[in-house]
Amino acid sequence: MANNKIVGPAPATEAAVACVSASELLVAALRKQLADVNSIALYRSGAAAIDPTGSFALVLIDLGSISIDECLELFKTLHQTPVALVNANHDAALLLMEKYPWIKGVFYRSCSRGVFEQGMEKLVSGGDWLPRALMERLIDRYRHLARSYDVVSQLSKREKQILFLAGQGLSNVDIANRIHLSIHTVKSHVHRALRKLGAANRTQAASMVLGHAESSP
């Protein structure tokens, strides 16, 4: 069997939807659901097969056919092309959405045909389709990040610097030597920062500061 084949009259570069899957059932469902779409490009061997020059309105990735590692490699070639995950589980979907927020749709393995058809109609029209449980988890995560951002903003520049270095794996002694302070002064900064952040320990506080740095423009 060839690595990829095109289902529909147009070449891959003109396809409206690309599907990375080895499932004939999924392809049959797409043919029926997307009868009005110009063409569907079907890729059977993951990231190595997909046409990097293709211009797709949506790429469906069947997590029942490729591994998470293959999916991560595929995302590198898709840049910010809209993506929907099919046959996903909650944890895998959450992991991928945190890394690639332009994922527009997620269908769990347990979703019914009716839900799949309704979701695909929404996605093809330019909307989003995410399970409620996943949306609630993402909202909770973003709220936590927002609270952390506000709290970290209250730290002094020196406190942020010390916790950032701690997050890089440096001990208090290493930090003191790096920024030319006494070990007592470094410990005092860490203690004050822990109190401001409400963090249980140095590791948790450093993680909050690193997360703040990554989310800052």
Side-chain angles (χ1 to χ4, degrees):
M1 183 178 294
N3 280 345
N4 64 71
K5 71 175 183 179
I6 307 304
V7 182
T13 54
E14 298 177 6
V17 176
C19 179
V20 181
S21 177
S23 170
E24 294 292 346
L25 289 176
L26 178 58
V27 173
L30 286 174
R31 280 177 171 172
K32 179 179 179 181
Q33 178 70 17
L34 305 178
D36 295 332
V37 172
N38 289 334
S39 62
I40 301 171
L42 171 63
Y43 296 93
R44 297 184 180 278
S45 59
I50 199 163
D51 182 0
T53 66
S55 178
F56 304 113
L58 179 68
V59 175
L60 294 176
I61 300 176
D62 181 6
L63 294 183
S65 296
I66 67 173
S67 68
I68 293 295
D69 288 341
E70 288 176 314
C71 188
L72 292 172
E73 286 299 312
L74 179 56
F75 274 122
K76 294 178 182 179
T77 69
L78 294 176
H79 305 294
Q80 295 191 20
T81 301
V83 168
L85 306 176
V86 183
N87 288 322
N89 62 54
H90 179 80
D91 291 340
L94 183 63
L95 170 67
L96 291 171
M97 286 207 67
E98 288 179 339
K99 290 180 175 293
Y100 303 97
W102 57 88
I103 293 174
K104 296 180 68 66
V106 172
F107 299 95
Y108 289 152
R109 294 170 182 168
S110 58
C111 87
S112 66
R113 173 173 290 186
V115 169
F116 179 73
E117 291 177 351
Q118 187 178 1
M120 283 302 304
E121 182 177 350
K122 185 77 171 179
L123 290 168
V124 170
S125 65
D128 296 82
W129 188 267
L130 300 174
R132 179 182 295 274
L134 182 60
M135 289 182 64
E136 290 175 347
R137 183 71 178 273
L138 289 170
I139 289 170
D140 286 344
R141 184 67 58 88
Y142 293 144
R143 284 174 176 165
H144 174 73
L145 288 174
R147 287 194 296 269
S148 296
Y149 189 93
D150 290 340
V151 173
V152 171
S153 297
Q154 298 174 16
L155 297 179
S156 69
K157 183 177 180 179
R158 182 67 83 182
E159 288 165 349
K160 290 179 185 178
Q161 180 188 29
I162 289 172
L163 288 179
F164 183 84
L165 292 173
Q168 302 299 313
L170 275 68
S171 67
N172 286 343
V173 173
D174 293 333
I175 294 171
N177 292 332
R178 173 77 66 87
I179 60 178
H180 309 295
L181 293 177
S182 70
I183 182 65
H184 174 74
T185 301
V186 169
K187 288 181 177 179
S188 295
H189 280 302
V190 171
H191 180 73
R192 284 195 298 271
L194 290 178
R195 188 171 64 250
K196 290 179 182 179
L197 295 173
N201 52 53
R202 183 175 177 271
T203 300
Q204 183 183 13
S207 177
M208 293 173 70
V209 170
L210 288 175
H212 178 276
E214 290 173 356
S215 62
S216 297

